[in-house]
Structures are given as C-alpha cells and as structure tokens.
Amino acid sequence: MELPAFISPFLIGSSIIVILFPTSRLRGVWLVLTISLGAGVGLGITSSMIFLWLAFIGPPDSYYFAAELTLAVMLALFALYRIHHSGCRTQEDSGLNCEAIPGTIVWLRNIFLFLMLVSVGSFLLKTFLQDPHGIWDAVDTWNYRARWLFRGGPHWSYAFSLRAKDGLDYPLLVTASVFRMWQIFGKDPIAIPILVAGIFTFGSYLILFSSLALLRGRNQGYLAAICLFVSTQFINIGTYQYADVPLAFFILSTVILFGLKDRYPEISSPIVFLAGLTVSCAAWTKNEGQLFLALVIFVYFIGQLGKKEWSKTIKEFIGFTLGLAPVLATLFYFKLNFALENAHINTNTLKQLGAYLVDIDRYILVGTKCIYKLFTFNDGIVWLMAGYFFLSGLERSDLIKKRILSHTILLLLMMCGYFFVYVIYPGNPRDLLSASLRRIIIQLWPTWVFLFFYCVKGPEKNAVIQGTPTRSFKADI
Amino acid sequence: MHVLKKFPPINHSVFTGDVNLTISYSFKMFRQKFIKLKSYADAQLSNYFPSVRGAVLLIVIPAVFIVPIYFFSILSEIVTGKTHRPVLEYETRLAAIKKDLPANAVVNYVSNSTAPDDLIDAEYVLVPVRIVKGLKPMHDLLIFQNFDTAEIPEFEGYTLKTNYGNGVMLFKRVSD
C-alpha cells in the first residue's frame, strides 16, 4: 500500500544512473546495482527537494507532488530514450534468477537467496511486531522530527528547537524522506519509516553483491553478501530505524563507485558525478557523513594530484562537485538557518579542546574500548574473516592491490576521525563510547566487507580477476 | 567392489587365529576405501568450486545456522511476550487525551514512571503538543501519568479536568 509513495524517488534515482551509464541496459547485475543505488539516491534527492519546498513555500501540497512526478517521468523518459539508442549487448544474468548460469556456484547462490529471504522475514518480524516505532534515537530524533514536520503545520520548525539535548543539528535525509511519504498519504502510518529503513538495509546487501559481482565475479558477490548476513548486528540496527544504516549505504555506494571508476576509466566522468551525489547524500544523512565528504575529497582528489595528470584530476573533481552541489547546498541551507549548535563541537568545547587532546588517559580509554569492540563486534566476526583470510590468502593481482589502497586509507582515516571525536568529547567519553561505538562500526562495516572480499581470493571457478584498466566498459557488460 | 578385487576375502575355514594378520587386512581395506572416498569427494567439491573451499565453508556454514537462529530468536521473543514496547503502550494510553489537547498547545507533564524514556515517549506520541516537564513554568493544561497508585493527586493551581481511567489525567489551571 505504501509503495506508490516510493515511485518518484525510485524513478528519479534509477533514471539518473541509467542516463549516466547509457550503455548499461536495465538487465543483469547492472540492473540490481541500478535499482538498489537508484533507490537510495532518489530518496536523498527527494528528501532534499521536499525540505526546500517546506522551507521556502510551506507544507507541500499537490503542486509539489505534481512537480516531483513530472521530474521523475521526464528523467525516466530520457533514460528510456538513452537505453533505446545505446544498442549494445549486456550481461543477462541478474544473479538473482533461478536459471543455472555457467560459472555460478548454484548452491552458493541458493544459500544467498535463502538467507536473503530469512533476513527479510527477520526484518519484518522485528519492525512490524516488535519495535514498529524504532528504538531510542528513532523515537527521540528521527521519527520525532518527521512527526513534527508532518503534524506541526505552521509550527513545523519546532522539530529543530532546543527541546532535545542532542541531535540539534542532525541532517534530514531520513526524517524528510519519512515526512515526504506521510505527506503524500495525508496520514502517518508507521509502515513508512519501516519501508525507508528496509530500503537502505536491503539496498546495502544488494549493492554489496552487485558491485563485487561486477568487480570480482558473481560468486564473490554472493559470498560477501552472505558475510554481511552473518553480521546480524547490521540488520538489527537497520530495524532500529536509525540513520546509521542509511549512512553505511551511502559510504559503501561511494567507495564502490570509486572502485568502478578505477575499473572503467573511460566512464570516470559520469561515475564521479554520481559519487558526488552519494557523498552529498551521506552528508545529508548524518554529521559523520560530513567528515566522510572531507576525507573523500582529500583521499580521492588531493591525494591523487601527484600521481595522475592534473588536468584529469581537476576534470574529475569538477564532475564530482557538480554531483555534490544540489544536496550539499540544501545541507548548508539547513545548517545555517535551522540547525542549532552541535552538542559535541561548539565554541565552549573548542576552548577545552587543547586539554582533551593532551589527556593521555582519554587516548588509552578510547583506544582500549575501540580495540575491544572491534574484536568482539558481532560475536567476533572479525575472527571468522581472519580465518577466511588465512585459508584463502590475498588475490595476488597488482591491480587489486592498487585499487584497494585509496579505499583502505579512506576507511582508516574515517576511523581515526571517529577516534578523535571520542577523545575530544566534552563529557565522559565512556558514556559516548557505550552509547555509540557499535553504531559507528556499523557505519563502516559493509564497506570493510566489500574491501575484504575485493582483495581476498574467492570461490570463482575461473579464479581470474576480470578486467584491467584498459579493458573497456562495453566489453564487460 | 574394486577394493575387494585387490584384496581377496579371508578364508575363515583356514583362519588360524592370527589376529594381527586380520587387523592388517582390515586396516588396509579401510584405508583404500577412505582414499577412494576422499578422491571422490574432492572431485565432487572441485566440480562446484576449485579454489578456497575451506575458507568459503568457514563463512557459509555459520551463516546457514546464525541467520535462521536470529530469525527464531526474534520470533520466540514475540511469541513469549518478552518484548517491552513502551511506545505502543503510550500510544494506547494517551490516545484519548490526545484528542482533547489543542494542536501546538504547550502543556505541563508530570509522571511517576521511573522509565528513562518516559518523557521521550510521551513527547513522541503527543506531537504536535509541546511538553514541558514538571510544573514550572505553569501552563493552562497539565497531563499526569499515574503508573503505581490509585489515588488522584492534587497539584497546586490546578484542578482535575478529565480522568481517563487508565492512569492518565488532564488537569486545568485554576483561573486567578
């Protein structure tokens, strides 16, 4: 019943991807990637649009939805036109159908489908029957603010008042997405935040699978997704309706897009544009996404200046900035006009910054807790992965090593950033660590799983890394 | 059968009681069978995936158990009623009073609940009513949530307007 509200974001997001990759027809693994990535990107764009409408014009009415639908239909028509005139062959297998495809380990695919089905069941049980309104932060921040935007009428901006002690400047992707769908229905069924949470949770599994299927082969994609299924903490936090899983979705999408850029250098311009869009959506989801945005620019552009041609890097950066601009502009507008001061980093806490930075006890406390949590996360899943690594070994392709280096640096810098946020926390870091460390790990976990399975040996029947930097995009699809 | 051809069956009629010889024969037969079985299993496994099979099974086998166990743990929590769902309870408790509160009104809120999320849940359920915890500053309406006593409390400056019968009461300010 609630799915029609999702048509516009889905059409907008998917059409943008199809337009940017005109040679990829809506088939095969590309279809899975297009649908899952398009769904998230579409929600990012429409949440930004509806917030701007609310802020400048007032509560969205039929004019807004007509405009949004018109945009979606126009983009879809343009995408169909591009597909129709691209006229190239494509990979037929989506990896999710039941036909036996040569090279596919059938039982591995069946286990993947079985686990997907069981996980969907777990998600539905937990959300609809156990915690339909989500857990603490969802009730206190994300869904609470969505309710204010929807029910508040002319007083909707009370959602960003001093009522809350925390989260005064949290960005609005999740909140505005839920509000948008409620506004379409004219009522606020709890199925909507559940649907949004489900899109990002299962979108992450599908993006992980489809990207590795493209980069390393289908079987590696199944295996990586199975590993993420074993990480039940991920789906668990997905059911909480927090913004951590949507952020994990956008971080994963961004890293994957830069991975695809290395694989298909001839279509790097549209890919970096799309990466700009996903990074801005990450920043529009949570404040940690803004740290991610800064680090992406640092690692993928500033860090590449000496290695690549200047002109190429600058050209890519311009494409990236163009993708970044629309949603990031909305974020700036929100931060300047509605968001109150950050509870952790503000003028008062900045005065204490020097003292915290030289407090060795804080480093020991945060470092110990982080290491302990990493090794015990999800009942010690890192040990399972360590076992896999020792049994399988690294893929000894120089290409793989080169390709994962910048992504690994990016994630390590993200972890360093989180580490220092804990160190400079104005209160007792122990409280913040116990409240958030598990969620912080979840934000990066799917991307770590992606990188791990990108660089270890997999169960491919033909254990050959597909593609080289010189291999063409058309040859692969 | 192939193994039996290599090792002729022991003739029990001429068996002289040499236990060591019998054990040796049995062991060799067992070993041959084991090697054959292993090579067959290897060939079958290689048919499915030639590389890193141990590593793959290390991920797949726990997954096949853990994911369904997670599903059944949620199911059992729901069936046995172990789950505490405060927001749903508050939605039910406060449904009647919500209709009597003017939209965007600012109301005082007092509760004898010790739950840490009491105020958060009440605020969430009552949107777009603005909640002020406690009695100061005083507003025209006061919501009281009573979780443990049967008595109706008295608040200075307020008089009971409606008792909803489920521990939820609405007080109004006495005009000066």
Side-chain angles (χ1 to χ4, degrees):
Chain A
M1 284 295 288
E2 280 73 19
L3 282 175
F6 183 58
I7 289 174
S8 290
F10 171 73
L11 276 181
I12 291 171
S14 302
S15 301
I16 288 173
I17 295 169
V18 173
I19 291 164
L20 290 172
F21 301 149
T23 47
S24 72
R25 284 189 174 179
L26 284 175
R27 284 185 199 167
V29 174
W30 276 104
L31 174 64
V32 180
L33 186 65
T34 304
I35 288 173
S36 39
L37 186 56
V41 168
L43 284 175
I45 293 170
T46 49
S47 63
S48 157
M49 282 163 53
I50 201 158
F51 173 71
L52 289 176
W53 188 287
L54 180 67
F56 286 111
I57 298 171
D61 48 16
S62 53
Y63 289 111
Y64 168 79
F65 296 111
E68 189 189 272
L69 198 62
T70 308
L71 174 69
V73 170
M74 282 170 62
L75 282 171
L77 288 174
F78 188 48
L80 285 172
Y81 173 80
R82 295 295 299 270
I83 290 168
H84 187 68
H85 286 83
S86 65
C88 79
R89 286 191 314 106
T90 184
Q91 185 181 330
E92 298 283 335
D93 171 33
S94 67
L96 300 176
N97 54 6
C98 294
E99 295 160 26
I101 305 296
T104 301
I105 299 170
V106 178
W107 63 264
L108 196 61
R109 183 200 61 196
N110 292 345
I111 286 174
F112 164 76
L113 291 172
F114 167 71
L115 295 179
M116 175 70 95
L117 204 65
V118 176
S119 296
V120 170
S122 303
F123 184 87
L124 293 176
L125 274 182
K126 201 160 167 59
T127 48
F128 279 101
L129 297 178
Q130 203 170 29
D131 296 310
H133 294 272
I135 305 286
W136 192 282
D137 277 9
V139 175
D140 186 38
T141 305
W142 308 108
N143 291 342
Y144 172 77
R145 296 202 294 182
R147 277 194 167 187
W148 261 106
L149 296 184
F150 177 69
R151 295 180 183 175
H155 302 278
W156 58 269
S157 61
Y158 183 75
F160 315 113
S161 70
L162 271 169
R163 197 268 325 169
K165 283 187 292 180
D166 209 352
L168 300 173
D169 66 332
Y170 282 5
L172 292 179
L173 187 141
V174 172
T175 300
S177 293
V178 172
F179 159 64
R180 181 191 153 276
M181 295 200 199
W182 281 347
Q183 196 72 15
I184 288 174
F185 287 112
K187 55 183 179 178
D188 51 358
I190 201 61
I192 292 298
I194 293 173
L195 177 69
V196 171
I199 286 165
F200 285 113
T201 307
F202 291 97
S204 301
Y205 292 115
L206 292 176
I207 283 189
L208 182 66
F209 155 70
S210 54
S211 60
L212 278 167
L214 284 167
L215 293 164
R216 286 291 310 275
R218 237 172 269 125
N219 299 326
Q220 193 81 335
Y222 293 134
L223 196 60
I226 288 170
C227 185
L228 196 58
F229 284 129
V230 182
S231 320
T232 48
Q233 291 281 344
F234 182 75
I235 192 168
N236 207 30
I237 289 186
T239 64
Y240 289 178
Q241 300 174 30
Y242 287 2
D244 298 281
V245 168
L247 179 63
F249 173 93
F250 287 116
I251 291 175
L252 174 67
S253 305
T254 307
V255 170
I256 283 168
L257 285 168
F258 278 101
L260 288 171
K261 181 182 83 77
D262 294 340
R263 168 77 181 273
Y264 305 111
E266 70 271 23
I267 53 164
S268 63
S269 296
I271 288 182
V272 287
F273 177 86
L274 199 54
L277 205 50
T278 54
V279 171
S280 63
C281 287
W284 181 231
T285 306
K286 271 202 106 179
N287 285 340
E288 292 92 318
Q290 290 143 37
L291 171 68
F292 180 67
L293 162 64
L295 290 175
V296 162
I297 294 171
F298 177 73
V299 172
Y300 291 130
F301 296 102
I302 297 172
Q304 300 294 323
L305 279 176
K307 297 174 188 169
K308 283 195 214 166
E309 290 171 33
W310 277 67
S311 59
K312 195 181 175 190
T313 308
I314 288 170
K315 192 181 161 193
E316 283 179 357
F317 185 68
I318 290 169
F320 176 80
T321 313
L322 288 174
L324 199 67
V327 179
L328 194 65
T330 312
L331 177 69
F332 276 132
Y333 176 73
F334 167 71
K335 288 276 185 186
L336 293 173
N337 294 285
F338 295 96
L340 297 176
E341 213 171 34
N342 187 288
H344 300 174
I345 301 166
N346 52 46
T347 44
N348 289 333
T349 58
L350 283 175
K351 289 173 190 167
Q352 305 277 334
L353 194 65
Y356 293 144
L357 280 173
V358 294
D359 187 350
I360 196 76
D361 290 339
R362 281 181 168 252
Y363 285 90
I364 293 169
L365 173 71
V366 175
T368 316
K369 286 269 182 190
C370 286
I371 290 168
Y372 176 77
K373 193 71 188 175
L374 272 177
F375 287 127
T376 57
F377 171 68
N378 207 102
D379 298 325
I381 194 168
V382 287
W383 298 108
L384 203 64
M385 293 168 79
Y388 183 98
F389 176 77
F390 283 117
L391 287 171
S392 72
L394 265 181
E395 181 58 54
R396 295 189 182 282
S397 161
D398 286 342
L399 283 172
I400 293 286
K401 286 178 194 166
K402 276 181 193 168
R403 284 174 187 172
I404 65 157
L405 184 66
S406 50
H407 310 314
T408 311
I409 291 170
L410 175 71
L411 288 194
L412 289 174
L413 287 175
M414 276 294 284
M415 290 176 77
C416 286
Y418 290 162
F419 180 87
F420 277 99
V421 168
Y422 286 120
V423 169
I424 63 168
Y425 177 63
N428 186 351
R430 205 182 291 271
D431 298 337
L432 187 64
L433 282 161
S434 59
S436 66
L437 192 51
R438 187 170 59 126
R439 291 187 288 114
I440 290 289
I441 295 173
I442 284 291
Q443 292 172 8
L444 301 178
W445 183 246
T447 316
W448 277 122
V449 173
F450 166 76
L451 282 185
F452 180 80
F453 284 97
Y454 192 18
C455 67
V456 291
K457 280 184 184 166
E460 291 124 42
K461 282 186 172 176
N462 300 314
V464 176
I465 306 305
Q466 295 172 10
T468 65
T470 54
R471 186 168 174 166
S472 74
F473 175 66
K474 285 183 181 178
D476 274 351
I477 61 166
Chain B
M1 290 305 291
H2 178 73
V3 176
L4 290 177
K5 278 177 191 170
K6 278 188 171 178
F7 296 92
I10 300 163
N11 187 349
H12 290 278
S13 59
V14 295
F15 183 63
T16 57
D18 189 344
V19 177
N20 287 339
L21 187 67
T22 311
I23 291 171
S24 171
Y25 262 117
S26 304
F27 180 72
K28 278 183 182 173
M29 282 172 68
F30 175 75
R31 192 159 173 267
Q32 289 263 356
K33 277 192 175 178
F34 177 75
I35 289 167
K36 196 178 173 195
L37 191 68
K38 188 170 176 288
S39 62
Y40 173 77
D42 277 349
Q44 287 299 311
L45 277 172
S46 300
N47 194 32
Y48 288 104
F49 55 97
S51 60
V52 296
R53 70 177 72 110
V56 171
L57 293 176
L58 193 69
I59 299 285
V60 171
I61 291 172
V64 170
F65 288 101
I66 288 169
V67 177
I69 286 171
Y70 176 69
F71 173 84
F72 285 112
S73 69
I74 296 168
L75 191 65
S76 69
E77 277 178 22
I78 292 165
V79 171
T80 55
K82 280 182 186 171
T83 315
H84 176 58
R85 297 185 292 261
V87 180
L88 286 183
E89 287 169 20
Y90 275 49
E91 288 273 16
T92 313
R93 279 178 68 92
L94 299 171
I97 198 172
K98 214 160 92 173
K99 292 173 188 161
D100 293 346
L101 297 171
N104 299 112
V106 184
V107 299
N108 293 90
Y109 177 80
V110 176
S111 165
N112 55 18
S113 166
T114 52
D117 50 356
D118 170 61
L119 181 67
I120 288 169
D121 292 340
E123 282 179 320
Y124 174 77
V125 168
L126 293 173
V127 172
V129 172
R130 301 178 203 195
I131 301 283
V132 174
K133 190 184 178 186
L135 295 165
K136 299 282 171 147
M138 278 178 85
H139 295 281
D140 288 343
L141 294 170
L142 162 70
I143 298 168
F144 175 64
Q145 281 223 75
N146 192 358
F147 286 89
D148 53 11
T149 61
E151 293 169 14
I152 297 173
E154 287 184 359
F155 297 102
E156 194 181 336
Y158 285 98
T159 178
L160 182 67
K161 188 181 179 207
T162 314
N163 184 352
Y164 295 90
N166 58 350
V168 179
M169 294 162 216
L170 182 64
F171 291 80
K172 67 175 179 183
R173 188 155 68 167
V174 181
S175 50
D176 297 327

